[in-house]
Amino acid sequence: ELGSIQALYNLGLAYDLGDGVQQDMMKAFQFYRRAAMQGHALSRNNLGCIELKKENYDRAVRHFLIAAKMGFAHSFVVIRDMFAKGTATKEQYAE
């Protein structure tokens, strides 16, 4: 069962922030991923943020690109900043 996209995002956010539950980034990632796979752009962006914190820059850029293409403008700003810092390539930025 896929579940409500917003509920999945909310659970991801709760585990991400430790809001009402013990903080658990693995669970946050899992809930964000489930919501993102159903088209939730902010969840996709948050997956990028998690990967960015882990310094998995290629994965982060991929998540941010998808979120930006879904209309989440902040993801484009993050990609631009990553390009300026050298953590995203010219080719990735051009996508």
Side-chain angles (χ1 to χ4, degrees):
E1 185 174 317
L2 296 176
S4 163
I5 297 170
Q6 189 63 40
L8 292 169
Y9 166 75
N10 289 342
L11 285 166
L13 188 61
Y15 281 107
D16 191 351
L17 302 176
D19 185 11
V21 295
Q22 185 167 351
Q23 188 176 30
D24 185 329
M25 293 310 292
M26 180 60 81
K27 284 185 181 180
F29 188 88
Q30 291 169 350
F31 283 114
Y32 285 149
R33 184 179 60 215
R34 288 176 60 193
M37 295 301 289
Q38 295 182 55
H40 196 270
L42 183 52
S43 290
R44 183 63 72 174
N45 180 80
N46 289 359
L47 289 172
C49 291
I50 291 170
E51 294 294 357
L52 186 62
K53 287 178 190 171
K54 294 170 152 182
E55 297 183 2
N56 293 330
Y57 300 121
D58 190 52
R59 286 183 182 180
V61 169
R62 280 189 247 148
H63 286 301
F64 290 132
L65 281 171
I66 293 168
K69 289 177 182 177
M70 295 169 76
F72 194 72
H74 179 72
S75 293
F76 177 76
V77 173
V78 176
I79 295 166
R80 184 193 64 205
D81 291 347
M82 289 179 71
F83 175 71
K85 292 177 183 175
T87 55
T89 66
K90 188 178 194 178
E91 292 78 20
Q92 290 170 318
Y93 184 69
E95 285 184 39

